[in-house]
Each structure stands twice: as C-alpha cells, then as structure tokens.
Amino acid sequence: MANVMKRPRYAKMNGLLYPAMFSPKCFQEALEYKHKPGDVFIDTYPKCGTTWMQNVALYIFRKGKEMEKSTNFLKLAPYIDLLGIEGIINMPRPGAFKTHLPYSYMPRSPDAKYIFVARNPKDCCVSFFYHARNQPGFRNRDGEFDDFFELFMAGELAYNDYFDHLLDWYPHRNDPNAFYTTYEDMKKDIKSVIIKLSKFLGDEYIEAIEKDNAVLNNIILYSGFDYMKKMMPEMRNLRKSEDMDFTFTGLNHMYEFYKYLKPPRDLPEFAEVRKGIVGDWRNHFSVDQTERLNRKFLEKMKDTEVLQWFPIE
C-alpha cells in the first residue's frame, strides 16, 4: 500500500476496526447482543444508504406519520453499535436498529429480520471519505482523498474491507428473513422499494399503504433527501437537555469524547446526509484509481450477481 499520511481515528475489537469515538463497552454489547424475535436490523457497509433506509423503515413503521421532533430519530431508529444494552432493551418497538457489523459478527436469529443495502464501491468510497473528513470524532479534517482511497483499497477503514463485508452478506440475500436492495435501485424507484419492504415487514404495513395512498406519499416525502437534510439531528451539537435523552450510554460517551478532543469552533457543520447522488465518484477518481478498483471489484466479486448490480465503468 502507498504511504498514507493521514488516517481517520479508529479503535479495534475482535479484529474489527470501529470509530474511536464509540464507547468500547457499548460496541462490545452490540457484538454480544442476542437477537430476539421481532427485532429488525438495517445493515450496510458505512455510507451505503444506511441513514436513508433507516428513515424509510421508520416511516413504514409509523405508517407515514411525521415525527414530532427530529431528535426522536435517535431513539426510534438507533445505531446499535454505540447504543449500549440499556438503550437496546428500551428501544421503542416496532423499530429498526442500524448497524455496520459484518454478517459473521452478528449473533443472528431466524426470528429476527434483516435489511441489507449495497452500493457501488466507488460512490461508497467517496461518501465515506467526506464522512470521515467532516465528522470531528475521526480527527481527519485535513485528510486527502488519495490517502483515503488507499485505505479503502486495503480494507483499513471502519468495519474493515468493503468487499469482504459485501461477500459476508451476499450468500444470505435470499434468506426468508432477509430483504436486500441497492442504493442505486432506491434512487431509481424508491416507491417500489417501499412497497416491497412494507410487505417484508408485515401485513399491517402493506395494508396501511394499500388502504390509504397518503401513507405511501408521506413515507416517500419524509424519507426524501430534502426532508432528511432539514430534519436529521446534528450529532456534533447534541447537548444534555430536555430535548435529548442521554440515557443512551453510547451517545453520552460520544458527547464526552467530542469535548475531550476540543475541536476548533470554526469547523463546518457535519451533515449525515450529503449529496445523495449516483456517480459522484467520477469527480474524484483518477484513471489509475478507477482501473485499480475495477480490478479488485472483478476479482472479489467473481461469479456473483454483484457484477450486474454495479456494471464496470
């Protein structure tokens, strides 16, 4: 691997890299949590449409009813990797946990449900770069894309290698308790994805859509990128207040971690939702980087349907 000058700040547990801003205790509890009947998990490699799918599932469960306040998102669709066992147990049901854990790291249950989203690795790499650069907890504000590309190719990022993560899930894509889609299909036809996912999650959710078209329209609206950019809570600016319940141990840990880092006051706002487009990689990849990633993609995804999901360019 080329000499990398700047790396995001990570920790490691059981051979798995994860953000250093996360509570080790909470991360361990996520790894050890025994999935229960009725649990729903949204799992992706980072920056492959997780937040978008969280919003889609959340509003399917809410049958199109808007959240009263944006911070409720952290309670109703929480990130299990930083949540802690108390938050896991107390999450309001029905709901969906977000995770980036590889399939083989999850203590799965045949009675739980799993939603998996894949994304073109080139766009994933670009989105992950901006996330790692702009999120203060990574301490990577002056990171360069060329360095990040090398880390992506070597699998030396949070949750390890993109290709291994995808291959870990791929054999289970058609399991009866699994639902999979791609970021690109969501961009192409979100209405179809919502209808299919509603059927997967339960009769009452597809019946709600079929009974009242406003339910479907609201799910599309409230999970849309314009709405998410407006309503997604700013994690970096969360404070202990009546508006946010910090009984979630992991959020409190992250808040204290940010204080310890003492980030400069002039940092730009961190946005969980950035562009939400397909093909932005063309504005970042060199010819050599494109060829190198294409070679790895073809090698790792040989004899899989993934080659049809993301045609080589």
Side-chain angles (χ1 to χ4, degrees):
M1 185 176 71
N3 185 33
V4 173
M5 303 299 294
K6 184 73 174 178
R7 296 169 179 262
R9 187 167 178 168
Y10 295 128
K12 181 180 280 189
M13 184 178 295
N14 298 350
L16 191 63
L17 292 172
Y18 68 98
M21 71 193 91
F22 286 11
S23 160
K25 176 179 180 292
C26 291
F27 194 72
Q28 184 70 50
E29 289 170 347
L31 288 170
E32 295 175 348
Y33 174 64
K34 306 299 183 185
H35 300 181
K36 295 178 172 55
D39 281 347
V40 178
F41 293 85
I42 298 168
D43 192 9
T44 77
Y45 190 76
K47 309 313 296 178
C48 286
T50 334
T51 301
W52 189 9
M53 181 56 81
Q54 280 177 277
N55 277 272
V56 170
L58 171 64
Y59 282 106
I60 289 174
F61 283 131
R62 293 179 64 82
K63 299 176 183 176
K65 181 182 178 183
E66 188 175 15
M67 283 189 297
E68 293 77 11
K69 52 186 179 182
S70 61
T71 49
N72 282 349
F73 179 81
L74 298 171
K75 303 176 186 179
L76 301 174
Y79 191 178
I80 194 172
D81 300 17
L82 60 80
L83 192 55
I85 192 63
E86 182 181 356
I88 293 171
I89 293 171
N90 292 326
M91 186 194 80
R93 267 74 165 181
F97 295 107
K98 162 189 171 178
T99 185
H100 295 308
L101 295 176
Y103 182 88
S104 57
Y105 277 81
M106 300 175 70
R108 300 162 305 282
S109 166
D111 298 314
K113 293 186 177 182
Y114 301 90
I115 302 167
F116 183 71
V117 185
R119 188 181 189 182
N120 185 307
K122 299 189 186 83
D123 277 335
C124 169
C125 179
V126 170
S127 184
F128 203 172
F129 163 67
Y130 283 105
H131 180 81
R133 192 182 71 171
N134 297 337
Q135 162 64 273
F138 286 117
R139 293 297 295 270
N140 196 49
R141 181 59 197 163
D142 55 348
E144 298 290 341
F145 179 74
D146 288 351
D147 282 345
F148 194 87
F149 173 83
E150 296 300 333
L151 295 172
F152 187 86
M153 289 291 291
E156 296 181 8
L157 295 171
Y159 303 92
N160 299 2
D161 185 79
Y162 162 94
F163 300 96
D164 291 342
H165 192 288
L166 178 52
L167 285 173
D168 205 15
W169 265 103
Y170 179 78
H172 306 281
R173 67 197 183 283
N174 294 321
D175 288 356
N177 63 335
F179 176 93
Y180 82 94
T181 188
T182 67
Y183 187 95
E184 290 73 16
D185 282 346
M186 292 175 71
K187 289 291 294 183
K188 183 179 179 180
D189 190 357
I190 189 60
K191 178 179 178 180
S192 176
V193 172
I194 290 171
I195 291 173
K196 292 176 183 177
L197 181 58
S198 298
K199 292 178 181 177
F200 172 76
L201 291 174
D203 291 342
E204 68 175 288
Y205 305 112
I206 188 61
E207 288 171 1
I209 287 175
E210 292 173 344
K211 183 178 179 180
D212 184 355
N213 194 54
V215 173
L216 176 59
N217 290 336
N218 285 343
I219 296 170
I220 294 172
L221 172 65
Y222 297 143
S223 63
F225 277 84
D226 290 341
Y227 185 86
M228 286 193 293
K229 284 182 178 181
K230 180 178 70 173
M231 295 299 291
M232 283 298 295
E234 174 45 67
M235 290 287 292
R236 179 161 57 90
N237 291 331
L238 289 175
R239 296 294 184 266
K240 293 182 180 179
S241 69
E242 294 180 358
D243 191 49
M244 185 61 219
D245 181 1
F246 268 80
T247 58
F248 288 175
T249 307
L251 291 180
N252 194 36
H253 180 92
M254 185 181 291
Y255 170 71
E256 296 299 330
F257 188 89
Y258 286 160
K259 289 202 303 183
Y260 167 77
L261 292 179
K262 297 180 180 179
R265 294 181 177 274
D266 61 347
L267 282 177
E269 285 193 8
F270 169 73
E272 190 71 34
V273 178
R274 194 175 66 91
K275 285 187 175 181
I277 63 175
V278 172
D280 193 33
W281 66 269
R282 298 185 185 89
N283 299 317
H284 297 79
F285 275 58
S286 68
V287 172
D288 178 68
Q289 288 170 341
T290 301
E291 292 176 349
R292 287 175 59 198
L293 194 145
N294 284 348
R295 285 197 299 270
K296 182 170 184 178
F297 177 73
L298 288 170
E299 176 187 341
K300 299 285 283 190
M301 298 297 140
K302 182 181 178 181
D303 299 325
T304 73
E305 295 176 7
V306 178
L307 295 177
Q308 282 72 56
W309 298 356
F310 313 121
I312 291 293
E313 294 185 52

